[in-house]
Amino acid sequence: MAAHLKKRVYEEFTKVVQQQHEEISAKKLRLTKPSKSAALHVDLCKATSPADALQYLLQFARKPVEAESVEGVVRILLEHYYKENDASVRLKIASLLGLLSKTAGFSPDCIMDDAINTLQNEKSHQVLAQLLDTLLVIGMKHTENPAVRMRLLDVACKYLTDSSHGVRNKCLQLIGYLGSVEKGATKEAESLATKDVQKIIGDHFNDQDPRVRTAAIKAMLQLHERGLKLQQTIYSQACKLLSDDYEQVRSAAVQLIWVLSQLYPESIVPIPSSNEEIRLVDDAFGKICHMVSDGSWVVRVQAAKLLGSMQQVSSHFLEQTLDKKLMSDLRRKRTAHERAKELYSSGEFSSGRKWGDDAPKEEIDTGAVNLIESGACGAFVHGLEDEMYEVRIAAVEALCMLAQSSPSFAEKCLDFLVDMFNDEIEEVRLQSIHTMRKISNNITLREDQLDTVLAVLEDSSRDIREALHELLCCTNVSTKEGIHLALVELLKNLTKYPTDRESIWKCLKFLGCRHPTLVLPLVPELLSTHPFFDTPEPDMDDPAYIAVLVLIFNAAKTCPTMPALFSDHTFRHYAYLRDSLSHLVPPLRLPGRKLVSSPVSSSVTPHEDPSQQFLQQSLERVYNLQHLDPESTQELLEFTIRDLQRLGELQSELAGVADFSATYLRCQLLLIKALQEKLWNVAAPLYLKQNALASAAAKQIMEETYKMEFMYSGVENRQVVIIHHMRLQAKALQLIVTARTTRGVEPLFGMCENFLQEVDSFQRGFISELPHMQDSFVDKLLDLMPRLVTSKPSEAVKILQTTLRQSTFLHLPLPEQIHRATSTIIEPAGESDNPLRFTSGLVVALDVDATLEHVQDPQSTVKVQVLYPDGQAQLIHPKPADFRNPGPGRHRLITQVYLSHTAWTEPCQIEVRLLLAYNSSRSKASTSLSKSTWIDSMEALPPSEYGIEGTIPFSKPVKVYIMPKPARRALV
Amino acid sequence: MPEIKVTPLGAGQDVGRSCILVSIAGKNVMLDCGMHMGYNDDRRFPDFSYITQNGRLTDFLDCVIISHFHLDHCGALPYFSEMVGYDGPIYMTHPTKAICPILLEDYRKITVDKKGETNFFTSQMIKDCMKKVVAVHLHQTVQVDDELEIKAYYAGHVLGAAMFQIKVGSESVVYTGDYNMTPDRHLGAAWIDKCRPDLLISESTYATTIRDSKRCRERDFLKKVHESVERGGKVLIPVFALGRAQELCILLETFWERMNLKAPIYFSMGLTEKANHYYKLFITWTNQKIRKTFVQRNMFEFKHIKAFDRAFADNPGPMVVFATPGMLHAGQSLQIFRKWAGNEKNMVIMPGYCVQGTVGHKILSGQRKLEMEGRQILEVKMQVEYMSFSAHADAKGIMQLIRQAEPRSVLLVHGEAKKMEFLKQKIEQEFHVNCYMPANGETTTLFTSPNIPVDISLGLLKRESAIGLVPDSKKPKLMHGTLIMKDNSFRLVSPEQALKELGLGEHQLRFTCRVHIQDPRKEHEMHLPDGSIMVESILIQATAQSEDQGTKVLLVSWTYQGPPHFVTAKSAILEE
């Protein structure tokens, strides 16, 4: 019987699907195809003047064309093309042909012949260029078809001799994109085919038009990108192009040289005007270095950037980049860096007070001075001193990349990076601090360098200071004076900018960890202990004192002799800080005290697996128990949810998974509860008031499903289906509840219709996942679809209700990595008792500083909400520039929120919180909606008809005390 | 042979009194008109009588160009235009035009009012002189007359400093004035395009110096000031009113801003204030940072720098004071110095060079006890620092500019002879171009080979260029046509066109050549009455021999069997 039923159901199911498909395609066809080409034809025939025709074509281009009708349209266009005398109209037609052949699902090889034919009779160079462009588009669609490629290539080669630069440009582009990459494969295609593409392009390196030269180099680069190994012979040609008159040529040539240097780093090239030879990569490096002092800043940026990625260059050349021989009156002078180093090594205190401290020393042999070096000399010295900050940033970046691969270079470039800390542009300063942090593993700061670094701590920009703290976290300091200096400067920073507290403490924590032996001799001085006298106990709440203690305790972790130097109150303070600031103070093995047991740090690794197992087991348990009686199911769910939540709190790495599954279970629980309501058994008119629970449950499930879908990063399609399924159930529930509570049938019609559409789109969106969902709500619903469609709303609701009750609980597969988006508002802190006063009607700016974790694309999703006491809510979209990205998965929002209100009599609190905006059209369900790349007018279309927008609050609200004062009246 | 003549009247192997005469393609241009700081007699101005003994200067000079407002580049201008007499145009950039009269007026005041000289130019003369000035924009091509055009390029150095390109036809000269190739806190770096002039006249103040990065200098300076202020000391910075003073102000201002410092900075009033006003106006002439941020805030509107009052010097607590003049030889800076010298917490920073004999020079050379007027002995306990902030290109910078402009020859001025010698040798060695360094009054002549433009009709060009295989190579190409020289213009036209224009008929020249063929078999040949041979068909193949262009090898063959005959003939060049 069951088998029979199944079969029947299956038959019906397939039928339904087929019908639907037919319907959909039929609709589209009827809507567009006939109208499109026919209308165009009529329009073009009507056009009396070229201007008219152009107008029609422009209008036509605004609307997309379906793949099926493209060919017809193309035919019409071509027909007009042959008739048309005006070049501008032909140009537009040619460009339309290109656009049309881009249409997804349309195979443009049928129009290729026509396009090539039109080329032959064309006189206008512009139209020619446009037609070649169209051919390029066609060619791009058939890159794997060698015959098409050969054909197009022949065309391109033929038109290469055209006198117009535009045509030659396009030809070169065509060759670059379509030129055969694999040499062996073309052998069978005769001599005609084995044209050496590189040779053809190379011949145009000295074309008379700079645009063509650029296009030639670009085409060559394109070939390289497509996997063709460029010949080494191009190198000398490319070198010549470096001295071209036009910046775009030079810029492209620099790129080409870089590519070649990566391809043939080890081959040997001769140095002109001498019989020496050097490695190609070194030669190229020298040449690119030379371009760092080019006349055009675009080229300089390009060159500086590329330098960073030339890691194979020999260290001798690399170190030259930082070299600049100073001289004064032909006598050798030492650089300030050298002087600083010398002072440091001689142990003398830096005087720098004498005039002529930098007096030149020995005479220089005039013949030996080379003022314009052919090599890499001083490239970075120039780059870092450049006028444009873009060049300086590029140079700093390059320096960073090179230093990461070469420790000795890192050591050498330190002085220069430190110098950059004083650049006039903040971005450059920031960039150089970050760079320094990245290479800090390779370096140890000298005291005088540290001094300069620390001087920047007084910078008024918070970003700079925080970057510097991060840098100090991972710096190696060589002496105990250095540590002391750093501490003193950090404390100074603390008094000047008390808001930096957390960041300074963290910095000192790492500083202590890294240099226990250097901290040790400083301890008595820092704690101001005295061998004979007791010193007064410092104030425990003083942030500066806490900072000192953080440094010492962290150093003491690996230095067992240190606690012997502590005085009594230090131990007490330790106990206090260990509890209050446990993330900064490590557990210590103190004499006379047991090691404070800390389960987290002592046994992290063995714990991990059991908790993971526990999570899995409890979830398994829930999913397995399908046929328990409702009460015990509810109970089990409640327990499991509780367990999961607790687990999430304990194990931060599992928090995402635990929360995610707990939310899902909660939805299920709500659903079960709602269905268990007695109200279903009562006659309809009686439970008008009692339906609160069920509809509230439906609403809550909806909310929770949105949270699940949009607040977690790492959710995959498998989960999305289940989430959507749950939402569908909630919608069904809502429908049932409304059906029961409303009188009259009219509103139900609409709702039923909507619901069925919902089911339909679900089915379309997740058709691939349906097989995994047997026995689920949707599965059953789809079986019953024909009945639902035909039946009356009241009946449909009944069917729904039974299906909903009978459907089983779907197993939620857990994704690999899942993280919940969280945010904390650091500022405003919500502690202030002083209201923010401002004149009503005017605005006041409130600084908001928040950290966001695991938020994807925060620029478009994170909003700030301000709730006024009168219930008025304001939504603020922060600027994209307000988001910073300090690390992977972490974001920081520093923005200003403008508040305004009419006058109040009392100061009152407003709430500020962060919201996560979502838009279901962005979700994976609708990615199948392919955006056609017709033309830019597509932007005008509405985003999507069934996109649901909403927001999820994801931070704790912070209260801010404000007081809009009434505006003072003008003097009477 | 066309030639360019250059005669420095000043600044030839010397610094100061810049004045260079250039005659190019019949045009005479005077570059800069400066005074010499070292002299107080006639030698302070260039000897304008060199130009002409008795004629009017205006007849001899087509224009005067002033590169920037420093007195050694513009100090003699009122004397030259009003007292010697010149009524032609004077070109300078807008900022130079604005600031120049202030400096000239100041110079006049010192010379006439303080030193009591007579026979000097008056305020009215300065005004009259400025009326003759034509202001130019950067990269604006100004037509002085039909043939002479000039164009200004950015030069750094001071506000409004410019390099000038002087161009007549295809001949051109670039005069750099003073320039700086490294940007500083308020100005950008000099820049020029690849204009390939025939001659580049470059300054060479630091011909033998390669300077350290300016960042180290700035950092040192800021560190010293900062430390001293933190100690509670007072810092005195003697400066000249314009140029470096503004750079140091910007430097300190941004540093104060960045570090949130509170100690006051003062600036002596007067000249500097006026000049600051112009710095605020000419934002486009400053560096990238100032240009980009001036919408939010004009960097020259100082927040931390206030005007100085004499009474402030005695205020307690730390402060920084900029005071004029720069060498501590007189005026406000000396007064303050005397007040503060006794305290070792205080500091004086000399940002530039000091002339021998001034207080500045004495303290820099380490003298701790100074004898002031009235036999007072002033003991200097304050710290003395020296910082060199100079805005001239160093040797590397000069070479860089030469590389950018790619001149065909270089001429050095504004520097010491010994140093120039070194740089000259380097330039010749590295760029393989001629380099000159004339002394004052010495004329350098260089020959040019200017291009002569010829008009060609498009049809002819297309036809001729279609003959060759590759139309796009940069190589010179042979063209056939007729050159017509008429009314000072050159045209290349097709022969038919030329004939038509000149109203001449076409003559055809026919060359005949008798070929003797010793062959007994003559059945197929017919001897015509005039003695020539008639063959049914004959193939003549002409090929040029590679060794000798004038000789062509003719291969004549016909169907009649027999050995082909090689005929060598000197072919005449035909003008058809």
Side-chain angles (χ1 to χ4, degrees), chain B residues 151 156 217 255 342 435 479:
Chain B
K151 183 176 173 187
R217 267 176 290 153
F255 188 70
C435 184
M479 293 237 165

Side-chain angles (χ1 to χ4, degrees), chain A residues 208 210 213 240-251 291 294-296 299, chain B residues 191 193-196 403-406 474:
Chain A
Q208 60 182 351
R213 292 200 292 273
K240 269 179 218 136
L241 287 171
L242 282 182
S243 50
D244 199 275
D245 280 9
Y246 292 83
E247 67 177 35
Q248 70 266 40
V249 182
R250 292 199 301 267
S251 172
M291 300 310 280
D294 190 84
S296 146
V299 181
Chain B
W191 182 86
D193 54 16
K194 251 187 209 179
C195 53
R196 300 197 173 93
R403 187 161 81 96
Q404 271 184 22
E406 293 187 4
K474 272 180 170 178

Side-chain angles (χ1 to χ4, degrees), chain A residues 58-130:
Chain A
L58 281 171
Q59 268 167 20
F60 170 73
R62 295 214 176 90
K63 286 166 278 171
V65 178
E66 277 66 38
E68 309 86 73
S69 50
V70 167
E71 198 172 347
V73 174
V74 167
R75 295 277 161 243
I76 295 169
L77 284 175
L78 281 171
E79 200 178 300
H80 282 274
Y81 181 91
Y82 293 125
K83 280 190 247 161
E84 187 58 57
N85 292 322
D86 188 72
S88 59
V89 179
R90 286 207 308 272
L91 183 71
K92 185 66 201 167
I93 292 178
S95 95
L96 275 180
L97 287 181
L99 277 172
L100 282 170
S101 31
K102 271 187 205 163
T103 316
F106 168 69
S107 165
D109 45 357
C110 48
I111 62 167
M112 188 172 80
D113 289 329
D114 295 293
I116 293 174
N117 285 337
T118 47
L119 271 176
Q120 264 142 26
N121 305 325
E122 187 53 59
K123 288 283 176 296
S124 156
H125 293 298
Q126 273 176 314
V127 181
L128 264 181
Q130 192 59 54

Side-chain angles (χ1 to χ4, degrees), chain A residues 245 369 384 419 460 496, chain B residues 196 215 219 258-259 426:
Chain A
D245 280 9
V369 183
L384 293 176
D419 278 350
S460 57
K496 206 164 178 181
Chain B
R196 300 197 173 93
R215 274 170 215 288
R219 200 185 58 211
R258 259 181 71 194
M259 298 302 182
K426 284 287 155 198

Side-chain angles (χ1 to χ4, degrees), chain A residues 336-337 419, chain B residues 212-221 387:
Chain A
H337 292 149
D419 278 350
Chain B
D212 199 355
S213 120
K214 78 184 160 60
R215 274 170 215 288
C216 297
R217 267 176 290 153
E218 284 176 5
R219 200 185 58 211
D220 274 5
F221 173 77
M387 288 266 110

Side-chain angles (χ1 to χ4, degrees), chain A residues 245 290 293 295 324 327 329 336 352 355 366 369-370 384-385 389-390 419 422-423 459-460 496, chain B residues 185 191 196 209-213 215 219 258-260 288-289 364 384-386 403 419 426 430:
Chain A
D245 280 9
H290 204 55
S293 47
K324 190 180 179 187
M327 62 175 192
D329 263 355
W355 185 31
T366 48
V369 183
N370 196 6
L384 293 176
E385 269 186 42
Y389 82 94
E390 291 91 341
D419 278 350
N422 285 320
D423 195 272
D459 202 295
S460 57
K496 206 164 178 181
Chain B
R185 287 284 168 153
W191 182 86
R196 300 197 173 93
T209 303
I210 300 175
R211 264 176 308 165
D212 199 355
S213 120
R215 274 170 215 288
R219 200 185 58 211
R258 259 181 71 194
M259 298 302 182
N260 251 333
Q288 188 195 21
K289 156 99 178 170
L364 277 180
V384 178
E385 301 285 355
Y386 173 73
R403 187 161 81 96
K419 297 181 181 178
K426 284 287 155 198
E430 310 235 357

Side-chain angles (χ1 to χ4, degrees), chain B residues 6-20 36 39 201-205 207 411-422 424 435-444:
Chain B
V6 182
T7 316
L9 296 184
Q13 302 182 4
D14 185 18
V15 178
R17 202 176 66 178
S18 285
C19 184
I20 297 140
H36 202 294
Y39 304 113
I201 304 176
S202 170
E203 67 133 332
S204 53
T205 322
L411 189 142
L412 299 176
V413 293
H414 201 279
E416 292 164 32
K418 208 173 67 195
K419 297 181 181 178
M420 280 182 182
E421 195 70 53
F422 164 77
K424 172 177 182 255
C435 184
Y436 311 92
M437 37 174 282
N440 283 339
E442 193 183 318
T443 304
T444 301

Side-chain angles (χ1 to χ4, degrees), chain A residues 106-319:
Chain A
F106 168 69
S107 165
D109 45 357
C110 48
I111 62 167
M112 188 172 80
D113 289 329
D114 295 293
I116 293 174
N117 285 337
T118 47
L119 271 176
Q120 264 142 26
N121 305 325
E122 187 53 59
K123 288 283 176 296
S124 156
H125 293 298
Q126 273 176 314
V127 181
L128 264 181
Q130 192 59 54
L131 281 170
L132 284 166
D133 194 46
T134 306
L135 286 179
L136 178 62
V137 173
I138 296 170
M140 295 291 281
K141 283 205 140 193
H142 291 277
T143 36
E144 65 296 324
N145 183 350
V148 173
R149 275 205 337 236
M150 292 314 299
R151 179 106 190 269
L152 291 177
L153 219 55
D154 280 345
V155 173
C157 292
K158 191 171 142 206
Y159 284 93
L160 259 181
T161 46
D162 195 277
S163 61
S164 154
H165 69 88
V167 178
R168 270 177 289 157
N169 256 354
K170 285 288 168 212
C171 288
L172 285 168
Q173 217 177 335
L174 207 60
I175 296 175
Y177 275 102
L178 302 173
S180 61
V181 175
E182 57 289 324
K183 289 209 96 179
T186 47
K187 248 177 207 160
E188 90 287 346
E190 308 302 304
S191 59
L192 181 82
T194 47
K195 266 180 198 159
D196 189 357
V197 187
Q198 293 195 43
K199 173 107 188 11
I200 299 169
I201 297 177
D203 285 343
H204 285 80
F205 275 3
N206 20 359
D207 191 278
Q208 60 182 351
D209 194 299
R211 288 163 289 200
V212 180
R213 292 200 292 273
T214 316
I217 302 175
K218 291 245 167 84
M220 200 62 110
L221 289 169
Q222 185 60 40
L223 281 180
H224 166 72
E225 246 166 59
R226 291 178 50 226
L228 180 71
K229 191 163 186 190
L230 302 185
Q231 291 150 2
Q232 203 197 320
T233 42
I234 305 171
Y235 182 71
S236 55
Q237 279 179 293
C239 288
K240 269 179 218 136
L241 287 171
L242 282 182
S243 50
D244 199 275
D245 280 9
Y246 292 83
E247 67 177 35
Q248 70 266 40
V249 182
R250 292 199 301 267
S251 172
V254 168
Q255 254 176 313
L256 185 60
I257 290 215
W258 177 81
V259 165
L260 287 167
S261 79
Q262 301 299 307
L263 282 175
Y264 305 96
E266 296 303 328
S267 52
I268 301 293
V269 288
I271 303 176
S273 76
S274 81
N275 40 17
E276 285 174 70
E277 290 179 327
I278 51 170
R279 291 162 69 216
L280 190 140
V281 64
D282 288 342
D283 190 51
F285 187 75
K287 293 219 158 70
I288 297 180
C289 279
H290 204 55
M291 300 310 280
V292 173
S293 47
D294 190 84
S296 146
W297 69 272
V298 184
V299 181
R300 294 203 297 267
V301 172
Q302 174 85 275
K305 267 190 193 149
L306 291 176
L307 281 184
S309 47
M310 298 182 78
Q311 267 130 11
Q312 292 130 308
V313 76
S314 42
S315 60
H316 162 65
F317 276 88
L318 197 54
E319 278 156 26

